[in-house]
Amino acid sequence: DEAKSGISRDLLLEALLAENVICRRHFFPGVHRLDTYASLPSARTERLPVTELLCQRILQLPSGQEVSVADAGRVCQLIGEILRNRDAIARHDS
């Protein structure tokens, strides 16, 4: 949540990628925006405000059986460091 963390999902993504953390925007773009569904009246973005919000906020972090507890801890540590340095990171990104 950018309002709480002070950093956007996309800037957090860039910072994690710069630290060699394999992550990506999750549910991006939303399925309702894909050509197969985009023309359907039920897929109009104004009808899916929660979906739109989630598509803008969710970040897929490393997961699966190859990710050790130590790996997960390191990712959490990096996220903490990024949040503590968010102002400098945002200035650098500008």
Side-chain angles (χ1 to χ4, degrees), residues 4-76:
K4 291 180 183 177
S5 68
I7 191 169
S8 71
R9 182 266 323 260
D10 291 344
L11 190 52
L12 176 60
L13 171 71
E14 288 178 34
L16 287 169
L17 290 173
E19 294 293 334
N20 296 315
V21 175
I22 307 298
C23 54
R24 64 184 180 91
R25 297 176 291 189
H26 198 61
F27 299 123
F28 187 86
V31 173
H32 64 292
R33 289 182 174 243
L34 299 178
D35 290 341
T36 306
Y37 304 104
S39 64
L40 298 174
S42 60
R44 291 195 327 251
T45 57
E46 62 271 5
R47 293 191 59 153
L48 301 165
V50 174
T51 301
E52 282 293 304
L53 179 67
L54 292 174
C55 289
Q56 295 168 15
R57 295 173 76 182
I58 295 178
L59 182 66
Q60 177 70 51
L61 297 173
S63 63
Q65 62 192 45
E66 295 296 319
V67 178
S68 69
V69 172
D71 293 335
R74 179 65 182 139
V75 170
C76 290

Side-chain angles (χ1 to χ4, degrees), residues 74-88:
R74 179 65 182 139
V75 170
C76 290
Q77 181 182 16
L78 279 169
I79 290 171
E81 290 173 17
I82 291 165
L83 293 178
R84 282 188 293 280
N85 294 291
R86 65 184 170 261
D87 293 335

